[in-house]
Structure formats: C-alpha cells, structure tokens
Amino acid sequence: MEKKNVFLRMQEMEEQMEHMHSDLGELKLLVKELLEENNRLVLENERLRIILKREAQLMEERVASSIPHHPHEVLEDVVGEGYDNLARLYHEGFHICNVYYGHLRTEGDCLFCLSFLNK
C-alpha cells in the first residue's frame, strides 16, 4: 500500500470516528431525556395511586354512610362532588383542563384550568 493511501485511509477513519462520537453524544442526550421523563412519570404515577386510593376510601365511606332518599338528590350530589373533586385535583397540582388533563402542573397556574373552574 502506498504512503498516500495509508494517510487517506487514516483520515477517513478519523472522520468516521468523529461522526460516531457526535452520534454517541446525541444518543446520550436522548437517553438522558428519556430517563428524566421516566422518573417524572413514575413520581406522577405514585401520586395518582395515592390519590386514587384515598378517593376510593372516601367514596366507600360516603356510600356506606349516606343513601339518598330521592333520585334528584343523587344528581345534585354528583354535580357538586364532581366540581369539588376537580377543584381538589387542581389544588393538588394537576391539570383539569381539556388541553393537559391529568398532567402535573409544573409552571404555576393554568389559565385553561382556572377558566374551567370559574364556569
């Protein structure tokens, strides 16, 4: 092999290594983002399980303690209870608007959620 060919081949290999290095950097960033999202989702899932468990216990207690006499009373209780549950979820840090429903609020108040609560 000629000296020029060896030098050209070494340059090609060096370029390939630089390309692989940049690809590796991009993959590392992607893995970092995925790990952060996974961690956020695990925490959100744990919070939701705790809330769901608490809500199930409260619902069981309500059903056991009060049986309404008229069907109209059931409708009024459900409407008021639904609003109360949404307001509680919002104050616990979750979106209740149709845009981001169920996601954690990380940037303060949401105008969509607030307008929904004020209806």
Side-chain angles (χ1 to χ4, degrees):
M1 206 180 259
E2 291 184 29
K3 292 180 184 179
K4 287 184 180 182
N5 287 340
V6 171
F7 185 72
L8 288 174
R9 186 155 182 200
M10 283 180 27
Q11 273 186 323
E12 289 174 1
M13 288 178 64
E14 185 178 14
E15 289 173 3
Q16 288 175 350
M17 288 175 55
E18 288 174 1
H19 182 69
M20 288 175 59
H21 183 39
S22 67
D23 286 348
L24 181 63
E26 291 173 9
L27 286 174
K28 284 169 66 175
L29 287 175
L30 180 62
V31 168
K32 179 186 170 213
E33 290 173 4
L34 289 173
L35 288 173
E36 288 174 352
E37 181 181 12
N38 186 44
N39 190 33
R40 183 186 59 81
L41 291 172
V42 166
L43 292 174
E44 182 178 352
N45 194 15
E46 288 174 3
R47 284 183 68 184
L48 289 172
R49 285 181 191 272
I50 291 169
I51 291 168
L52 180 63
K53 191 175 188 178
R54 185 176 59 212
E55 285 298 312
Q57 289 173 348
L58 288 173
M59 187 62 108
E60 287 176 8
E61 291 172 5
R62 287 179 185 165
V63 169
S65 66
S66 66
I67 300 174
H69 299 291
H70 303 296
H72 185 59
E73 290 179 19
V74 174
L75 183 59
E76 288 177 0
D77 288 344
V78 170
V79 171
E81 182 179 336
Y83 179 84
D84 292 342
N85 285 339
L86 288 174
R88 183 186 43 75
L89 282 174
Y90 181 78
H91 290 294
E92 287 179 356
F94 294 98
H95 283 277
I96 59 168
C97 61
N98 62 342
V99 180
Y100 302 108
Y101 183 79
H103 290 91
L104 282 174
R105 286 187 299 117
T106 56
E107 299 175 4
D109 289 330
C110 171
L111 294 178
F112 296 118
C113 292
L114 291 175
S115 68
F116 183 74
L117 282 175
N118 290 330
K119 285 185 179 180

